[in-house]
Amino acid sequence: MKDRIDQLLTEIEAIKSISLEEVEQLRLKYLSKKGLIPALFDDFKNLPATEKREVGQLLNELKNNAQKKIDELKSHFELRDEVSAARLDLTRPAGNVEPGTRHPLSIIRNRIIDIFGRIGYTVADGPEIEDDWHNFSALNFTADHPARDMQDTFFIATNPEIVLRTHTSSVQIRVMESVPPPIRMIFPGRVFRNEAISARAHCMFHQVEGLYIDKNVSFADLKQTLMYFAKEMFGEQTKIRLRPSYFPFTEPSGEMDVSCNICGGAGCNICKYSGWVEILGCGMVDPAALDNCGIDSKTYTGFAFGMGIERITMLKYQIKDLRLFFENDVRFLKQFTGAF
Ligand code: DAH
């Protein structure tokens, strides 16, 4: 009987993929009530008690193997049925894996870093959570200056001396306090203001600050540096215009417009039909700010400028709503490709 069991085990083992009808025939042949395996169980009853233990185990193994084999063969057909019911084509090539793209603000920030890097500016950063001294006082903001107002500045609730920096000009102070001149650096980073979110304003945005301190630095150097930047960023045909302005930490102060890169100065809705768009604030560093940082204002002079990365990115790509930058909708983000 053991030989017979062995023979059936090998036989079942050897069965290869077959049709669904054949699987059913196999089940009938081996496992149905009148099948070969139940017949062996009948014979088993007549065995002498001494053999029952060993043969019983073998017989159970045979039955389990046969059941497993039949289930296995059947499951192939069930899988195939599911695939065709779902109309899945398993031979179809997989979809493309799309490489990520850089955020448009990162592309423009990196371009700004590159443009200034070519004329010797290095990059530094400072903390986003700042103290009153670095964000305001050292920059010559008087105690009652409107920019300190609750409407503009996020204060830390437990300590009004600590703020979220409202501009990257705070990094100027940190650098002037710790780096001896000459200084030629830019400071890109995030800034925060308590503004209602709209297409034109946000409570968090990005700036790049520039600082150049040395002996004999003049306004002409500032103008030439900014003209170089504008042409590199917006194209050789770009014109610049400096208008007098006021910032507590620069004297004289100015704001710079570039000729509208959309209409070339003819007038369009981006430049509000003026032909010019404002892109930055600038000026000669106020001697009081230099002295606040321990730099002798009789020996050194310098200039500073600060620009909004969002604004430049909007002009470059004709984006009309600031909120798009922060929603991270991939349909928006994947439109931007750049070398940087
Ligand atoms: N910090 C100014 C702002 O956020 C921008 C600015 C103006 C920066 C003049 C400067 C500067 O360095 O000289 O509006």
Side-chain angles (χ1 to χ4, degrees):
M1 184 158 172
K2 278 201 276 178
D3 290 346
R4 177 78 179 130
I5 294 175
D6 269 348
Q7 186 204 336
L8 288 185
L9 267 173
T10 335
E11 203 177 294
I12 290 169
E13 178 103 13
I15 298 169
K16 293 264 149 49
S17 156
I18 45 175
S19 75
L20 195 56
E21 294 76 45
E22 285 169 319
V23 178
E24 179 55 14
Q25 277 163 21
L26 275 182
R27 194 190 64 79
L28 290 173
K29 175 174 171 195
Y30 290 102
L31 290 168
S32 67
K33 272 198 186 127
K34 293 186 177 151
L36 294 173
I37 295 173
L40 283 174
F41 273 94
D42 285 342
D43 296 347
F44 173 78
K45 289 178 197 145
N46 306 324
L47 282 180
T50 47
E51 284 179 35
K52 267 194 170 158
R53 198 181 139 83
E54 196 196 344
V55 178
Q57 267 179 11
L58 279 174
L59 206 50
N60 275 328
E61 193 189 330
L62 173 65
K63 187 180 152 200
N64 291 340
N65 279 13
Q67 189 63 56
K68 222 168 91 191
K69 187 76 181 193
I70 284 169
D71 288 348
E72 214 177 273
L73 290 168
K74 250 193 190 156
S75 73
H76 288 306
F77 292 105
E78 278 159 14
L79 186 68
R80 244 179 263 171
D81 284 350
E82 267 174 41
V83 168
S84 57
R87 292 180 206 278
L88 292 182
D89 176 2
L90 298 182
T91 62
R92 218 176 109 177
N96 289 337
V97 176
E98 290 189 29
T101 52
R102 275 209 201 290
H103 194 284
L105 294 176
S106 300
I107 296 174
I108 296 300
R109 182 202 54 210
N110 292 349
R111 201 165 280 174
I112 295 170
I113 292 172
D114 178 66
I115 290 171
F116 282 104
R118 280 185 257 141
I119 54 170
Y121 283 74
T122 55
V123 178
D125 192 13
E128 292 177 351
I129 300 172
E130 218 7 314
D131 53 39
D132 181 277
W133 169 256
H134 292 95
N135 196 77
F136 292 127
S137 297
L139 286 160
N140 232 8
F141 283 82
T142 52
D144 56 356
H145 194 283
R148 291 171 183 247
D149 196 293
M150 300 296 274
Q151 283 171 10
D152 286 318
T153 308
F154 286 115
F155 293 88
I156 301 297
T158 50
N159 184 352
E161 286 292 301
I162 308 293
V163 301
L164 297 187
R165 69 178 176 197
T166 58
H167 52 184
T168 43
S169 302
S170 56
V171 191
Q172 276 186 41
I173 300 300
R174 288 195 172 268
V175 167
M176 289 196 291
E177 281 174 341
S178 57
V179 180
I183 298 168
R184 191 159 36 182
M185 286 187 177
I186 54 171
F187 319 121
R190 275 199 298 191
V191 302
F192 306 87
R193 287 187 200 174
N194 195 354
E195 303 249 16
I197 295 170
S198 72
R200 311 180 119 254
H202 211 284
C203 57
M204 188 273 290
F205 54 100
H206 299 78
Q207 291 186 331
V208 177
E209 190 84 8
L211 181 67
Y212 183 30
I213 310 280
D214 204 348
K215 291 174 181 156
N216 300 318
V217 178
S218 72
F219 201 94
D221 298 321
L222 170 61
K223 188 177 165 190
Q224 198 61 35
T225 302
L226 294 180
M227 191 152 79
Y228 157 78
F229 168 72
K231 286 177 184 289
E232 290 296 311
M233 178 55 81
F234 295 107
E236 190 53 38
Q237 74 294 343
T238 307
K239 295 190 183 66
I240 64 166
R241 178 170 86 170
L242 281 157
R243 288 178 288 102
S245 184
Y246 173 76
F247 298 100
F249 44 94
T250 42
E251 182 58 36
S253 302
E255 278 169 315
M256 187 176 93
D257 301 337
V258 290
S259 51
C260 180
N261 69 319
I262 311 296
C263 63
C268 67
N269 65 351
I270 300 277
C271 62
K272 299 203 207 80
Y273 301 96
S274 71
W276 297 95
V277 279
E278 183 204 319
I279 62 158
L280 55 80
C282 61
M284 301 305 291
V285 179
D286 194 303
L290 292 171
D291 291 332
N292 281 340
C293 301
I295 293 177
D296 180 8
S297 60
K298 297 207 171 51
T299 314
Y300 291 101
T301 52
F303 62 72
F305 53 86
M307 62 186 91
I309 302 181
E310 280 78 0
R311 182 154 182 82
I312 293 177
T313 309
M314 288 168 100
L315 284 172
K316 282 292 282 186
Y317 293 119
Q318 300 190 40
I319 297 164
K320 294 199 177 124
D321 192 326
L322 195 58
R323 289 168 293 196
L324 288 166
F325 290 130
F326 308 114
E327 281 163 2
N328 285 332
D329 184 328
V330 282
R331 290 169 301 177
F332 171 72
L333 295 177
K334 74 180 182 186
Q335 297 176 58
F336 303 94
T337 49
F340 290 92

